[in-house]
Amino acid sequence: MSLMAAALVSFSASATDFQLIGGFNSWNTLDETSKFTDKGDGTYVLEYKGIVASGFKIKSWGKEWDDTENYGAPTADAVLKVGESLTLLNGQGSKNINTEGGVSLTNPKFTFNPTALTLLVEAGTAEAVISYDIWGNLDGGEDWASTKLTETDGVWSASNVEVKEGANFGIRELSDGSQSNWFAATSAVTISETTTVDMKVDGTNLKIEAGTYDFSFNPSELKLAITKVSGGGGDEPIIPDPEYKDLYLVGAQFGWDFASTEAYKFERNENVYTITVDAGMVGGATEKNWKIWDGTWDYNFGCGEEQPVAGVEYETWFDGGNFTFSTEPNVKTTITFTLVKGSDEKNSSIPSKLLIDVPNSVENIEAVEEGTVRYFNLQGVEVSEPANGVFVRVANGKATKVVK
């Protein structure tokens, strides 16, 4: 084989094929009709027979979405104009390519240059028919499906929609029946009653509890109004009783494996767990954090956003973060953990309760004179110049927690 022939074989073996992918072909990664042809001059051409709705990307053929060859618009407001070259962005930060005015492209010819990162389209255009639907697993199953929304005066609605436990969803914008945009909540939310949710493009999927609901989506205001009609066909979701397992303290102080934590087992009285640690608690650094568990990482409890303070009851969460609470060395610390109904289910939004009681803690601080301000650490020791930590500020007969 000649050197030139060998070079051609090597190039052919390493060359990348590309495809157009979007709502027009249901984001099918193996759609042969949307595959580009290598022209041999650094460009790839696709002459598509049919209609391509706004909202698509270019990706390497036969590869997963997390590969680096994922070409789209550089920003959400960049638009593709017929007859004009659009500069693309390669990578996971790229956005869907939308057409100017949201028009659909008729029998388009796409010319793509992956080196120059440009895309040129020549096509006829037609004003797209825009509609919206709910897309999710409202039946609580694994498969997602469409729930039709009907338009009245610019608002898209559906009535008496039955929702099962475990449902997630968002709102699809459809151009000529193909998904051109995805709207979801601006932040994580679980719907359980009548409410209005702020929506945004590519937001966070909404969770919703079982029940029967009316939905009204206003795309111009990006608001989704949800009215609860009844509770799940008359049946409220059943929250199971806690599963009362043996629980232990785990962490750098106690060991991170089951064998080493056997000495730190809680005593249980129904749903209330109690343990006293004679040596006190050591935390505050990443390697010294601790949690409550049953010996498996599939069943454990930790803190939410706020770290616990002695003498105060706090919420803990299934599969939550590590605790970093500390006491003075060798100060007995009693930990009382109450397992609340429903809080033993993974990803549960129902918090359990934790009380950390330390003798001589901040709750035993003596009152000070009117107008005097004093600071104490979490073990009740007065601090003259509090810095870099959590303290209790006592003034005018009131104690408040502060962070310095």
Side-chain angles (χ1 to χ4, degrees):
M1 181 181 293
S2 68
L3 290 177
M4 180 175 291
L8 288 173
V9 170
S10 175
F11 176 79
S12 176
S14 61
T16 299
D17 291 327
F18 297 96
Q19 74 164 122
L20 196 74
I21 187 168
F24 72 96
N25 63 356
S26 300
W27 299 92
N28 181 2
T29 58
L30 296 176
D31 179 12
E32 292 280 355
T33 67
S34 67
K35 193 174 181 180
F36 283 83
T37 299
D38 185 354
K39 304 303 289 184
D41 60 357
T43 65
Y44 293 76
V45 172
L46 167 64
E47 296 188 47
Y48 188 83
K49 301 304 180 184
I51 296 177
V52 174
S54 180
F56 49 84
K57 300 185 86 170
I58 298 172
K59 70 177 295 293
S60 52
W61 174 263
K63 293 185 179 180
E64 299 297 331
W65 274 107
D66 59 357
D67 77 307
T68 57
E69 291 165 341
N70 174 13
Y71 301 85
T75 61
D77 56 358
V79 293
L80 177 67
K81 301 178 181 180
V82 173
E84 296 185 17
S85 180
L86 174 68
T87 299
L88 304 180
L89 176 67
N90 178 20
Q92 294 301 307
S94 63
K95 307 298 182 183
N96 286 353
I97 302 169
N98 291 311
T99 60
E100 184 179 30
V103 297
S104 292
L105 306 173
T106 304
N107 298 325
K109 177 183 178 181
F110 296 91
T111 301
F112 170 54
N113 188 323
T115 302
L117 291 176
T118 58
L119 177 65
L120 175 68
V121 62
E122 302 167 76
T125 61
E127 185 175 351
V129 176
I130 303 298
S131 60
Y132 297 88
D133 69 0
I134 299 172
W135 182 253
N137 62 331
L138 299 187
D139 63 355
E142 294 184 0
D143 296 331
W144 284 39
S146 169
T147 299
K148 183 180 178 181
L149 296 175
T150 302
E151 188 265 343
T152 303
D153 296 330
V155 177
W156 295 78
S157 304
S159 300
N160 295 315
V161 178
E162 186 175 355
V163 177
K164 300 295 186 180
E165 198 69 21
N168 294 263
F169 72 97
I171 301 293
R172 291 193 305 177
E173 178 187 80
L174 304 172
S175 298
D176 291 331
S178 300
Q179 180 177 326
S180 53
N181 260 320
W182 172 256
F183 298 99
T186 56
S187 60
V189 62
T190 299
I191 307 300
S192 61
E193 56 187 3
T194 298
T195 188
T196 298
V197 180
D198 292 324
M199 306 285 278
K200 70 175 183 178
V201 175
D202 295 334
T204 303
N205 292 347
L206 293 88
K207 296 182 178 181
I208 186 168
E209 295 184 0
T212 302
Y213 298 85
D214 294 340
F215 296 87
S216 293
F217 177 59
N218 188 324
S220 64
E221 298 179 359
L222 289 182
K223 301 278 189 183
L224 176 63
I226 303 173
T227 302
K228 187 170 186 179
V229 179
S230 63
D235 296 326
E236 294 295 333
I238 298 174
I239 301 176
D241 288 326
E243 187 174 351
Y244 297 129
K245 299 186 177 184
D246 290 337
L247 295 179
Y248 306 82
L249 289 177
V250 62
Q253 178 182 356
F254 315 106
W256 287 102
D257 59 86
F258 185 79
S260 61
T261 57
E262 182 63 30
Y264 299 100
K265 180 179 179 180
F266 283 84
E267 293 184 4
R268 183 178 71 84
N269 182 10
E270 294 184 348
N271 65 324
V272 179
Y273 293 77
T274 305
I275 190 172
T276 298
V277 182
D278 291 339
M281 304 299 293
V282 178
T286 301
E287 67 275 9
K288 295 180 179 178
N289 292 344
W290 52 277
K291 298 189 78 171
I292 297 171
W293 76 330
D294 75 328
T296 72
W297 287 113
D298 290 330
Y299 194 94
N300 64 91
F301 294 87
C303 64
E305 296 180 357
E306 192 171 19
Q307 291 290 317
V309 177
V312 180
E313 188 175 63
Y314 281 84
E315 295 180 346
T316 69
W317 302 84
F318 190 93
D319 206 19
N322 293 342
F323 296 108
T324 60
F325 177 81
S326 296
T327 67
E328 295 293 335
N330 301 317
V331 175
K332 286 187 176 183
T333 303
T334 299
I335 299 174
T336 303
F337 174 64
T338 303
L339 190 56
V340 181
K341 185 174 183 179
S343 60
D344 61 331
E345 289 198 287
K346 195 166 187 178
N347 298 324
S348 172
S349 60
I350 304 174
S352 48
K353 303 293 182 182
L354 187 75
L355 177 67
I356 300 179
D357 186 34
V358 183
N360 195 33
S361 65
V362 295
E363 61 184 356
N364 297 321
I365 296 174
E366 296 180 359
V368 298
E369 295 179 4
E370 189 78 12
T372 303
V373 177
R374 298 168 65 186
Y375 291 91
F376 300 83
N377 65 19
L378 300 183
Q379 289 71 50
V381 178
E382 186 168 2
V383 179
S384 58
E385 297 181 359
N388 301 323
V390 181
F391 302 89
V392 176
R393 180 182 184 273
V394 180
N396 299 324
K398 294 183 178 180
T400 55
K401 187 178 70 173
V402 295
V403 179
K404 293 286 187 176

